Amino acid sequence: MKIIIDDLSKPKVIQLLTEHLDGMKANSPPESIHALDLEALRKPEITFWSAWEGLEVTGCGALKRLTVHHAELKSMRTAKSHLRKGVATHLLHHILIKAKERGYKQVSLETGSTEAFKPAHKLYERFGFSYCEPFSGYSDDPFSTYMTKQL
């Protein structure tokens, strides 16, 4: 699997992000969706990675700078055809290494709280993330789960 910094211009990546946003809409009410669209992911404080097997995109993830020492994990998604093949594990491992290299001391995330998000919770738990209070402008929301990890 090849993981690259992506400029969000490839049609396959755009399709994966569309799938990601559609999944959020299907599993959370509009006011509880915090997934970023293409324009938001292109902001300078965000680095976006895509994962590839040959010419096929297998997944994506992003890291948003919150402060000098704190970043937020965003837009983690595995392509449907690559679920349960370790894509998310490889991506998360890669992003956490990059976060350490950039000097971050903490990485946090917001994800959904419904049954559809339980596999994500388990992944983050395996990587040492713990549940936490809302951070960086988020608020209590029954459809959101907040997690953090000290690096």
Side-chain angles (χ1 to χ4, degrees):
M1 177 182 313
K2 182 178 180 182
I3 299 173
I4 61 169
I5 291 179
D6 198 296
D7 66 1
L8 297 145
S9 65
K10 298 168 194 69
K12 290 180 180 182
V13 172
I14 293 169
Q15 177 57 41
L16 180 60
L17 285 169
T18 299
E19 181 182 306
H20 178 60
L21 290 170
D22 289 347
M24 297 302 106
K25 291 174 188 172
N27 291 293
S28 299
E31 66 276 8
S32 298
I33 296 172
H34 303 288
L36 302 176
D37 63 16
L38 281 172
E39 289 310 308
L41 286 168
R42 288 184 174 125
K43 291 189 176 178
E45 66 270 17
I46 297 176
T47 304
F48 181 87
W49 289 272
S50 58
W52 297 82
E53 287 288 340
L55 298 176
E56 195 172 347
V57 66
T58 60
C60 63
L63 194 64
K64 178 181 180 182
R65 181 184 187 273
L66 300 176
T67 70
V68 173
H69 297 294
H70 190 193
E72 180 180 4
L73 185 66
K74 300 292 292 182
S75 301
M76 285 288 295
R77 185 68 174 199
T78 300
K80 287 179 186 175
S81 60
H82 290 277
L83 290 172
R84 290 176 262 314
K85 295 181 181 179
V87 173
T89 298
H90 287 293
L91 266 166
L92 185 54
H93 178 74
H94 179 84
I95 293 170
L96 290 174
I97 287 171
K98 296 301 180 186
K100 280 185 183 180
E101 288 174 357
R102 294 174 181 195
Y104 293 120
K105 306 279 186 231
Q106 181 180 8
V107 174
S108 301
L109 63 93
E110 179 278 336
T111 190
S113 63
T114 62
E115 192 63 30
F117 297 95
K118 295 304 177 198
H121 297 178
K122 289 180 183 178
L123 171 71
Y124 300 133
E125 288 170 358
R126 280 197 324 266
F127 272 82
F129 282 83
S130 58
Y131 294 90
C132 66
E133 295 298 315
F135 61 94
S136 188
Y138 288 109
S139 58
D140 280 328
D141 181 341
F143 291 95
S144 288
T145 296
Y146 305 97
M147 301 178 84
T148 195
K149 175 182 175 64
Q150 300 297 319
L151 301 179

